[in-house]
Each structure stands twice: as C-alpha cells, then as structure tokens.
C-alpha cells in the first residue's frame, strides 16, 4: 500500500490548482468534524441555560422593538415602508444580525479553537464549515420567527419566499468571505476584532435596515454604494413578495465574492501555521 | 535487517526561530503572512529579538524504531514535536513524513466540559480524524479501555484530571498510526493506567516509528533505540548509545550539596569520605562494577550514649529513588558506653557492589536503637559512579553462573 507522504518546509507551494485541490479535499473530508464541532458548541451553549434557543433571536428582536417604539411614539418620523413597520424593522435587524454574524464567524471559530490548533493537526477548513453550520442553524430559527411575524401582521406568504433561502445563503457566503480575509490579521491583533464591532454598528445606519432608502440626497448615494444594501434589500423583497430592485447589484456582489471566497480559503489555509506559532508558547 | 524497513520520518537540517517580545512577534507575524503568500523563498536570518528555538536538527527514523528527545525544560523538544506534527512550519530545512501521523501531545483535545463523556468521545474522535462509523464501532472498546463506564454519561467537568486523561488516551489508542509522536502526557494517570498505556505503546511499537519526549529516563531507556539530547535548540548528543545520552543528561543536574534534614544536636557528623582505595573525581567516587566500596566516618557525640546508634545508609539512583539499603553489622553495635564529647571514627565497607552502571547518591540516617527515633538525617552525603560496559536500565546487575545439569 502506498503511504501518504507529507512534506513540511519553509517554502510554500503556490500552484493555485494544487492548493485548491488540497483545500477542497480537506474541506469535504472534514464535514463530519465540522458537524460535530457545531453540534458540540450549540449543545454546550444551551445545556447550561433555561431559555435556550430564545437567546438566538433576542438581540435583533430588541433592536427592532426599540425602533418600533421610537416610530410609534412619534419620537422619530420614518418614511412609510409599504409594509407594517414592525415586520420591516424585524426583518431588517434579523438580516443584519445574520450578516454581522457571518462576518465574525471565521475569526470567532478560529479563536475558540486556539487550544486544539496548537496541539492537534486536523483540517482547519472544518472550523470554517462548522462556523457556517452554526450560522445556518441560528438563521433558521430566526427565519421561522420571521415567518410567524409575516403571518401575524398579514403580509401574506408569496411564491418568492421559496427563493429566500438561496438569497440568504448568498448573504452568508459574502459575509464569510469578508470574515476570511480579516481572520489572519485579526488573530494576531485584537484591535481588528474591536474595530469590526464598531464599524458594523455604524455601517448599519447607512444600510436600509430599519428605515427605507431615502428618495434623494447624499444618504441615498452612500446607501446605494454600500454593497450590503443589495444584500439586505433583495432578501427582504423576496420575503415580502416585492420585485427585487437591486437584483443586478446583488448578483455583482455575489459574483465577486465567489472567487474571493476561494482565495480567502487558501489565504486562511497557508496562514494558520504562522498564527499557531505566534499564539502559543 | 534494519535497512529493509522503510524510512518513515526524514528530517534534514531543521531550524525554527522564535521571538522573545510579544509586540515584535506580532509584527513579524504580519510580515510573515505577507512573505508567506509570495512563496517564502528568501533565506531566513535572525531578526532583532529572535533566537533559534531549534537549530540544525537532522535524523531518520524507520518503522519499529523509537527516537527519544531529552533535554531540560525549554530546550526545544516541544517545538520540534510541533514542527513534526505539521502545526508550525520550519524556518529552515525539510521534513518528509510517510504514513498516518498520530500525536499524543494533548489528550482530549476538543472536549467540552458541559457535555458528557460519551458525547465528548465523538468530539475528540472527530478531531483525531475518525469518521462517525468508526467511532460507532469503537465506542464500546473506548469506554472499556478507559474503565470509567460508570461515569460515561456525566458531564466531564466533574471528571478528575486523571479521568479525562484516561478517556483521552482511550480514544487516541484507537488510532493505528505509522508515525506516533508522544509528548509527556501520561503523567497524570494513576499507576495502573500508565502501565496500561505503555502496554499499548509496546504493542504498536514494532509497526510504528515513534518520537518520544520524556523526562522519565528509565522509560526512555526502556523503549528508545536512539536519543537526541537537546540544549538551547541544538543537538548536544545524538546516537544509539542510549546509556551515554542519559548520563550526559544527568550530568546537567548533578549537585554536590549535602543537606541536613533533621538534627537533634546529640551527634555531629564531622566528616565522611571514601577510603583511599576508592578513586574519586571531583569528590564523586568512581568504582568498577563488582568492586568494594568503603566509607570513612568521623563522628562526635555531644551527649553520653549507652550504645552506638544505628547508621543507616540508603543508596538512591539519579531519579532519587531508593535502590538499596545497607544492612547493619550487629557485631559493631555492641554495648560500648560513650562519654560526652567523645569522637570516634570507623569504616563501612560493602563488598562486591553489584549496582548497575550509573550515578548514585547516599543518604544517612542515624537512629536510636531502642526507641527507633532519628537522631540525625542527612541527604546526599556522598555520591559515586559505577562504570562498566553493560548498560541496563534496571538498578542491579547481579553476578551469576550458568551451568548445564
């Protein structure tokens, strides 16, 4: 039987094809490990809590509630959204939470696995996949709640709802791609993580999350440039049964993300040994 | 015979550098990330605040061989293991490893404290590269091997560290590696379990190339066929002479300070030496195997005694385990009255000393004969080295005659 041969040396093999093949092999070879890690984290998180899964959607729910309250009480005046405002606000904060979770997912999964990264050699892709699994799980819970809202507020269930999961998957891929590129440097410097948190909370206000795109002005231009805008709007339009307005921009963002995603994957793969070296004594 | 077994690990001029300062290290990390994506073809020199943690190590290991890595803490052993395991990349040199690599560097990686032992078997098994099916078929063996079936459905945060190691090893023992890397992980288990672990390792040794890091020299001399003694990242000694390597290792820790552990002031030990017949080197007696060992004592009694107390001599090996005790010569301890401030001197001789090659130290206990209480206890009053050709890891090499009946 031919034994598998591994070579470790300073020089990197930069043949993209070979690297991609190795990465893909580890990616698919580690699906069980990824699933196991995701199940472990989800179970562990809720076994020590009474309210359990309730915590998964409490953040977007409270943010939405704050905006609903501000709007209803007349503290701020928002343009009509075309659908009941609570549904609009909740769908926005929910989609936003999925975007921000998927951007943070690679760095969180990698940091959480520091202990095993410096001790055991396993396919690192499993960490990313387990991050995606967890995202899908939590997103599914949020989506169920959203569906309940839609029914409750009489928006109705449209056929375009069937495309919604696909659009959501696109959102997760875009977010994870962004996360992949910041992970290696973010693992070295804590500043990156803190910066991302602040940047995301500010970005939310130039994305149509809790209010609609203005008809004109500087804010409209800014929001239209923001690549997160088509992600939010397209997915929301599909839920509500509207014709997506920014569909072509959405496909552009997704189309650029795909090749970047694979590059990010390779960057992540070859960066791990350097990170392990710097983070463990 | 050995030549036809394939080389599983080949290490050529391996070096690795580390940085002493965290902030600088992080910045170098960013630079390395960049040079990494451009292929890393440049030669690596030491940058400011860096040092070689591993420098120019080369070896080859075949199936059935076991390499012992020894050296004091911080000598670079664990770094070398991490490079071998592919966790970090070398800065110079090359490693070629064939076959499936198993690492016992940390047991129970991926355990989550909230989850039960059974659930964690799946987590750890997955990290070690098992498939779900493999774990399903092996789980009963794993639980039996760990001997903690009773607690297998309890959250492992309530396990003792020994129990966690048991579970972790039981899972790792199911691997069938071609190359096995062992760091000192088994120290926590109780004796029964450590014995079980080594039985497992003995069983897989013939089909495996093992790299073994340990500070336990009897263990090293028992299973290793080749040794690298590391110091400051360099190989200080490398070869098949396991005994010589271990002697070199111990020489780094020899200390000639004797210390008094207990003293009730009734007796003063004025001097203790080897007799003139015994050769010495820097106060350490040098004897051939089977020679006679003679100590000379000089004692002062600070109070009157009705009889001479017992002089108990205990020989310890390099790991400070007692290996022998000297029988009291009853004819010497006859009833002699001793006056206050009287000095006596006497010899203790041991014929045909059959201790095996190595360095031994001597502890002294002076004990009241009637009441069996200590008067004076003194550790490491002398040390001596037995030299000889036969290298064994057991403390005694007994003389014998074989004859046909």
């Amino acid at each position: 039987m031919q034994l598998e041969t591994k070579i470790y040396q300073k020089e990197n093999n930069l043949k993209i094809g070979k690297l991609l093949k190795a990465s893909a092999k580890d990616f698919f070879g580690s699906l069980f490990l990824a699933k196991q890690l995701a199940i472990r984290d989800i179970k562990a998180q809720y076994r020590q809590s009474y309210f359990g899964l309730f915590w998964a959607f409490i953040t977007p729910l409270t943010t939405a509630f704050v905006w609903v309250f501000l709007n209803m009480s007349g503290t701020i005046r928002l343009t009509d959204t075309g659908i009941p405002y609570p549904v609009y606000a909740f769908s926005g904060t929910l989609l936003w939470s999925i975007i921000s979770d998927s951007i943070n997912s690679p760095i969180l999964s990698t940091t959480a696995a520091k202990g095993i990264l410096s001790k055991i050699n396993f396919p690192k892709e499993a960490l990313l996949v387990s991050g995606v699994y967890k995202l899908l799980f939590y997103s599914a819970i949020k989506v169920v709640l959203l569906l309940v809202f839609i029914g409750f507020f009489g928006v109705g269930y449209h056929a375009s709802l069937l495309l919604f999961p696909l659009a959501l998957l696109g959102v997760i891929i875009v977010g994870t791609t962004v996360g992949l590129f910041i992970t290696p440097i973010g693992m070295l410097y804590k500043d990156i993580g803190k910066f991302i948190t602040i940047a995301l909370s500010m970005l939310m206000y130039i994305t149509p999350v809790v209010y609609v795109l203005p008809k004109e002005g500087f804010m409209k231009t800014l929001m239209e440039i923001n690549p997160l805008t088509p992600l939010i709007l397209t997915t929301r339009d599909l839920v509500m049964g509207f014709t997506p307005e920014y569909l072509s921009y959405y496909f552009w963002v997704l189309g650029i993300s795909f090749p970047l995603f694979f590059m990010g994957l390779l960057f992540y793969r070859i960066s791990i040994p350097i990170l392990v070296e710097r983070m463990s004594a | 015979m050995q030549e036809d077994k394939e080389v599983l690990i080949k290490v050529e001029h391996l070096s690795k550098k580390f940085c002493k300062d965290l902030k600088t290290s992080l910045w170098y990390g960013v630079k390395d990330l960049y040079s990494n994506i451009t292929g890393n073809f440049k030669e690596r020199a030491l940058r400011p605040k860096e040092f070689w943690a591993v420098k120019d190590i080369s070896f080859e290991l075949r199936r059935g061989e076991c390499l012992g890595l020894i050296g004091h803490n911080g000598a670079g052993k664990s770094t070398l293991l991490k490079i071998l395991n592919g966790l970090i990349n070398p800065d110079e040199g090359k490693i070629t490893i064939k076959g499936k690599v198993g690492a016992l560097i940390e047991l129970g990686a991926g355990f989550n404290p909230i989850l039960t032992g059974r659930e964690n078997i799946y987590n750890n098994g997955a990290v070690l590269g098992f498939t779900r099916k493999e774990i399903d078929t092996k789980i009963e063996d794993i639980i039996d091997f760990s001997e903690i079936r009773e607690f297998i459905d309890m959250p492992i945060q309530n396990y003792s560290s020994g129990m966690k190691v048991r579970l972790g090893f039981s899972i790792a023992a199911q691997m069938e590696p071609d190359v096995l890397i062992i760091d000192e992980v088994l120290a926590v288990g109780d004796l029964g379990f450590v014995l079980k672990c080594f039985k497992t390792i003995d069983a897989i040794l013939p089909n495996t190339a093992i790299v073994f890091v340990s500070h336990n020299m009897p263990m090293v001399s028992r299973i290793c066929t080749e040794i690298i003694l590391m110091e400051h990242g360099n190989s200080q000694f490398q070869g098949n002479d396991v005994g010589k390597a271990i002697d070199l290792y111990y020489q780094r820790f020899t200390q000639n300070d004797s210390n008094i552990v207990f003293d009730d002031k009734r007796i003063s030990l004025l001097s203790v030496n080897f007799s003139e017949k015994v050769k010495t080197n820097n106060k350490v007696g040098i004897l051939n195997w089977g020679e006679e060992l003679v100590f000379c004592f000089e004692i002062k009694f600070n109070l009157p005694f009705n009889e001479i107390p017992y002089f108990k001599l205990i020989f310890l090996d390099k790991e400070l385990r007692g290996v022998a005790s000297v029988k009291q010569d009853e004819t010497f301890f006859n009833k002699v009255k001793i006056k206050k401030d009287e000095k006596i001197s006497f010899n203790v001789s041991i014929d045909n000393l059959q201790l095996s090659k190595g360095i031994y130290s001597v502890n002294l206990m002076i004990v009241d004969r009637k009441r069996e209480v200590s008067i004076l206890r003194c550790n490491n009053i002398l040390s001596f080295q037995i030299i000889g050709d036969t290298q064994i890891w057991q403390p005694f090499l007994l003389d014998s005659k074989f004859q046909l009946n």
Side-chain angles (χ1 to χ4, degrees):
Chain A
M1 190 188 75
Q2 188 64 38
L3 290 173
E4 185 195 0
T5 305
K6 291 193 208 79
I7 294 175
Y8 300 120
Q9 58 185 359
K10 167 179 66 114
E11 291 83 9
N12 262 321
N13 184 352
L14 283 182
K15 288 200 185 99
I16 296 282
K18 243 184 186 174
L19 264 178
L20 261 181
K21 215 173 132 192
S23 186
K25 188 175 154 245
D26 279 353
F27 194 95
F28 292 110
S30 67
L31 290 181
F32 168 59
L33 171 58
K35 194 175 113 199
Q36 200 61 41
L37 291 176
I39 292 175
R40 176 196 72 177
D41 292 345
I42 293 169
K43 265 189 186 169
Q45 195 165 357
Y46 294 115
R47 195 160 290 182
Q48 216 179 0
S49 114
Y50 260 112
F51 296 109
L53 295 176
F54 171 72
W55 297 109
F57 49 78
I58 191 67
T59 320
L61 205 58
T62 46
T63 316
F65 179 75
V66 168
W67 282 89
V68 170
F69 178 77
L70 290 177
N71 192 29
M72 298 286 186
S73 63
T75 317
I76 50 166
R77 194 179 308 241
L78 295 172
T79 324
D80 181 43
T81 55
I83 45 173
Y85 185 69
V87 179
Y88 188 88
F90 181 66
S91 61
T93 53
L94 183 139
L95 289 170
W96 183 258
S97 77
I98 292 174
I99 291 183
S100 76
D101 282 354
S102 53
I103 291 177
N104 283 318
S105 159
I107 194 163
L108 286 183
S109 309
T110 316
T111 314
K114 255 184 177 180
I116 50 173
L117 274 175
S118 61
K119 300 278 161 52
I120 307 263
N121 197 349
F122 63 97
K124 317 299 182 280
E125 282 78 2
L127 296 176
L128 303 174
V129 182
S130 88
V132 172
Y133 280 159
K134 280 189 274 180
L135 278 173
L136 290 177
F137 177 78
Y138 290 127
S139 304
I141 296 171
K142 293 171 185 171
V143 168
V144 168
L145 192 68
L146 180 63
L147 292 179
V148 172
F149 262 61
I150 293 173
F152 184 79
F153 284 95
V155 178
Y157 300 104
H158 301 269
S160 59
L161 208 55
L162 295 172
L163 287 174
F164 171 67
L166 274 179
L168 198 62
L169 197 65
V171 170
I172 290 177
I173 287 173
V174 175
T176 309
T177 306
V178 176
L180 267 180
F181 277 94
I182 49 181
T183 301
I185 297 175
M187 291 295 294
L188 290 174
Y189 289 104
K190 299 259 184 227
D191 310 48
I192 306 291
K194 301 216 185 292
F195 174 76
I196 294 293
T197 315
I198 294 174
L200 279 176
S201 68
M202 285 166 68
L203 258 178
M204 190 178 117
Y205 295 100
I206 56 164
T207 315
V209 176
V210 285
Y211 37 76
V212 291
L213 215 71
K215 291 271 182 300
E216 60 210 352
F218 173 67
M219 194 64 164
K220 177 177 156 70
T221 326
L222 202 62
M223 277 189 168
E224 281 187 328
I225 296 170
N226 180 0
L228 298 179
T229 302
L231 298 182
I232 292 268
L233 287 185
T234 307
T235 39
R236 178 155 50 200
D237 287 346
L238 287 176
V239 177
M240 305 306 165
F242 299 153
T243 317
E245 231 181 302
Y246 289 85
L247 198 59
S248 58
Y249 192 14
Y250 174 86
F251 279 119
W252 268 108
V253 172
L254 204 59
I256 293 170
S257 286
F258 263 112
L260 282 179
F261 177 76
F262 288 106
M263 274 175 63
L265 210 58
L266 298 187
F267 179 48
Y268 180 83
R269 185 182 170 84
I270 62 174
S271 299
I272 285 287
I274 291 172
L275 304 178
V276 169
E277 174 187 338
R278 304 286 166 188
M279 71 193 181
S280 67
Chain B
M1 168 72 186
Q2 282 225 317
E3 289 307 311
D4 49 34
K5 294 218 171 179
E6 75 257 61
V7 175
L8 291 184
I9 310 178
K10 189 174 180 191
V11 174
E12 299 157 88
H13 306 290
L14 194 73
S15 299
K16 179 77 204 170
K17 53 188 185 170
F18 275 142
C19 183
K20 287 177 184 164
D21 180 73
L22 180 67
K23 275 271 158 63
T24 324
S25 167
L26 295 179
W27 179 236
Y28 288 158
V30 176
K31 285 182 170 176
D32 287 351
L33 282 179
Y34 173 73
S35 58
N36 204 18
I37 47 176
T38 55
N40 266 340
F41 294 106
K42 277 192 202 145
E43 182 127 351
R44 298 242 174 120
L46 281 189
R47 295 172 284 195
K49 293 186 186 168
E50 282 188 327
F51 66 99
W52 291 109
V54 170
K55 182 75 184 150
D56 202 18
I57 300 285
S58 305
F59 64 87
E60 274 185 14
L61 210 59
R62 292 165 199 281
R63 205 181 279 279
E65 292 182 334
C66 176
L67 172 77
L69 285 179
I70 58 176
H72 60 77
N73 299 129
K77 306 182 296 291
S78 295
T79 307
L80 182 52
L81 285 198
K82 281 186 183 171
I83 307 174
L84 282 175
N85 197 13
L87 298 171
I88 54 182
N89 278 335
D91 281 319
E92 272 171 20
K94 186 177 174 186
I95 297 179
T96 314
I97 293 190
K98 284 184 189 155
K100 191 175 166 193
V101 181
L104 297 180
I105 292 184
E106 186 179 75
L107 295 174
F111 277 180
N112 184 300
I114 308 280
L115 303 181
T116 68
R118 193 185 296 274
E119 287 167 315
N120 274 311
I121 290 177
Y122 281 90
N123 293 333
N124 182 240
V127 172
L128 294 178
F130 293 119
T131 61
R132 178 166 198 100
K133 226 188 216 161
E134 283 174 316
I135 304 176
D136 282 337
T137 55
K138 284 169 176 170
I139 190 156
E140 291 304 313
D141 293 341
I142 292 173
I143 299 173
D144 285 337
F145 191 91
S146 68
E147 301 170 16
I148 49 172
R149 183 176 287 280
E150 196 185 336
F151 305 107
I152 202 67
D153 290 311
M154 185 169 91
I156 63 161
Q157 60 182 349
N158 300 340
Y159 283 20
S160 70
S161 51
M163 287 164 75
K164 273 182 231 163
V165 168
R166 270 172 181 262
L167 192 59
F169 185 84
S170 309
I171 304 165
Q174 300 293 323
M175 291 189 289
E176 283 152 5
D178 296 294
V179 172
L180 184 62
I181 297 171
I182 310 175
D183 204 345
E184 209 141 38
V185 281
L186 304 175
V188 202
D190 58 30
L191 180 67
F193 194 71
V194 170
L195 292 177
K196 210 168 168 180
C197 295
F198 276 95
K199 212 172 131 192
T200 315
I201 292 172
D202 280 342
I204 60 173
L205 181 58
N207 297 315
T208 316
I210 298 186
V211 180
F212 183 61
V213 167
S214 181
H215 293 289
N216 185 337
M217 291 306 132
M219 214 67 97
V220 168
S221 57
R222 197 169 79 90
I223 70 172
C224 293
T225 53
E226 193 185 339
I227 298 277
I228 293 182
L229 171 64
M230 290 182 75
E231 189 169 306
H232 300 303
N234 294 293
S235 153
Q236 208 74 8
F237 175 88
Q238 182 168 358
N240 295 321
D241 192 346
V242 176
K244 192 176 167 198
I246 292 177
D247 283 347
L248 279 171
Y249 172 78
Y250 279 127
Q251 268 174 27
R252 284 159 216 286
F253 301 108
T254 44
Q255 42 164 5
N256 292 323
D257 306 338
S258 66
N259 60 320
I260 293 172
V261 186
F262 177 80
D263 186 1
D264 72 357
K265 309 290 182 201
R266 285 193 281 167
I267 294 178
S268 310
L269 182 64
L270 298 180
S271 76
V272 52
N273 286 304
F274 293 105
S275 85
E276 282 165 16
K277 276 191 283 180
V278 179
K279 281 180 290 175
T280 57
N281 173 18
N282 198 14
K283 288 187 189 162
V284 178
I286 312 280
L287 291 104
N288 286 312
W289 176 83
E291 257 191 331
E292 185 185 33
L293 175 62
V294 186
F295 301 109
C296 309
F297 284 90
E298 211 181 336
I299 303 284
K300 181 175 158 239
F301 295 87
N302 299 326
L303 288 172
F305 274 76
N306 284 332
E307 53 187 6
I308 299 181
Y310 278 141
F311 283 78
K312 293 191 170 175
L313 293 170
I314 295 150
F315 295 169
L316 301 108
D317 68 7
K318 291 160 286 193
E319 313 233 297
L320 299 183
R321 283 175 312 184
V323 291
S325 185
V326 174
K327 188 168 174 284
Q328 305 299 307
D329 182 356
E330 293 293 340
T331 57
F332 176 69
F333 302 101
N334 52 8
K335 298 225 169 182
V336 182
K337 291 230 174 188
I338 288 167
K339 286 177 277 210
K340 187 172 187 281
D341 290 334
E342 188 177 333
K343 289 180 192 173
I344 63 163
S345 69
F346 60 91
N347 286 0
V348 179
S349 62
I350 298 140
D351 250 4
N352 187 17
L353 192 63
Q354 298 188 351
L355 285 171
S356 64
K357 194 176 145 183
I359 295 173
Y360 299 87
S361 63
V362 183
N363 286 0
L364 170 71
M365 283 169 74
I366 304 178
V367 181
D368 198 305
R369 287 172 68 184
K370 278 221 185 83
R371 294 188 290 145
E372 286 278 334
V373 288
S374 295
I375 297 168
L376 178 72
R377 286 175 62 184
C378 190
N379 284 349
N380 198 17
I381 53 169
L382 282 174
S383 54
F384 61 90
Q385 184 178 11
I386 305 284
I387 49 178
D389 302 327
T390 319
Q391 168 69 43
I392 56 168
W393 55 272
Q394 297 88 348
F396 282 95
L397 179 63
L398 299 178
D399 206 4
S400 63
K401 283 192 183 63
F402 287 53
Q403 56 193 136
L404 287 171
N405 290 332

